[in-house]
Amino acid sequence: MSLRLFAAIRPPDELCERLAGLQRGVPGARWRPPDNLHITLRFFGEQDVHVAEALDIELARIRATGFDLQLKGAGWFGASEPSTLWLGVAESPQLEKLAADCDKAARRLGLAPDGRKFTPHLTVAYLRGTQPDDCARFVRRLAMFASEPFLVDRFALYSSHLGKRASDYRAEAEYPLLG
Ligand code: ATP
Ligand code: MG
């Protein structure tokens, strides 16, 4: 049996609910429901349950203190063929470090390297047929956007269950950060 796994930070529910108010005005956008919003630290892909257990042990060994994080601005992936619309994250060395620690955990188990540079973001929509101009308009509209800072006091290992509609994510394990 295998699971599609990733490590992520989940912003507070109230903040995710409020972000729904920003999710409008982009043709071809399939907006993510509040429950799905997260900041991915490391995508692990399809893994055997034994690897999942080993990963859980490695992630639980990460020692980090809690930190404040803030969503800021917006952007998109896919350049001239936009695929993903996201909110950005204000610069955070602690976030970079936590993502690097999750990557190290994966590499200790011999998982394939991620390949891409870590670009912290919170995906708000997947796009189909959306023009770069539409994305640019959304990004301009959110240029001054900044959420209130929120405390990251844990991260989690999620399994992703791809469905016809929005994927369903399940927290398999939670890792508290030090107070
Ligand atoms: P769906 O694929 O059904 O549209 P999804 O992309 O939200 O939904 P997953 O593909 O399981 O679900 O991805 C889970 C998380 O991992 C998402 O945040 C996604 O952006 C991220 N992710 C997926 N694939 C990669 C990858 N190859 N590299 C980095 N992050 C990835
Ligand atoms: Mg995907």
Side-chain angles (χ1 to χ4, degrees):
M1 201 200 137
S2 75
L3 289 169
R4 187 177 172 90
L5 297 168
F6 63 102
I9 288 167
R10 165 79 186 165
D13 288 345
E14 316 81 71
L15 175 54
C16 292
E17 295 286 347
R18 247 176 297 131
L19 294 178
L22 305 172
Q23 294 176 300
R24 60 189 164 79
V26 182
R30 286 174 292 148
W31 300 106
R32 313 305 284 165
D35 280 355
N36 281 36
L37 303 182
H38 62 271
I39 299 160
T40 301
L41 292 163
R42 175 65 150 90
F43 180 71
F44 304 117
E46 290 284 338
Q47 300 296 342
D48 183 90
V49 281
H50 298 104
V51 176
E53 281 166 22
L55 201 47
D56 172 42
I57 291 167
E58 289 295 332
L59 294 175
R61 287 175 54 199
I62 293 175
R63 289 287 166 267
T65 40
F67 55 92
D68 275 343
L69 204 59
Q70 197 176 14
L71 301 175
K72 202 171 175 223
W76 79 92
F77 290 140
S80 61
E81 285 182 49
S83 61
T84 308
L85 200 57
W86 44 263
L87 299 180
V89 179
E91 195 187 333
S92 166
Q94 294 103 317
L95 180 68
E96 302 277 339
K97 172 75 166 57
L98 189 55
D101 285 345
C102 290
D103 182 50
K104 277 183 208 149
R107 285 193 296 177
R108 270 197 292 274
L109 298 176
L111 303 196
D114 197 345
R116 323 179 196 172
K117 187 189 170 295
F118 177 61
T119 308
H121 66 278
L122 179 145
T123 296
V124 286
Y126 288 120
L127 306 172
R128 202 183 287 149
T130 304
Q131 298 305 307
D133 278 355
D134 298 320
C135 295
R137 211 168 300 121
F138 181 81
V139 170
R140 272 200 305 277
R141 176 152 69 82
L142 288 173
M144 303 301 278
F145 164 76
S147 74
E148 74 271 30
F150 57 90
L151 175 67
V152 179
D153 61 0
R154 75 197 64 190
F155 68 103
L157 176 62
Y158 291 91
S159 60
S160 171
H161 305 267
L162 307 179
K164 281 213 184 71
R165 298 172 66 245
S167 294
D168 183 32
Y169 308 131
R170 228 168 281 158
E172 299 289 343
E174 282 201 326
Y175 311 101
L177 302 181
L178 308 173

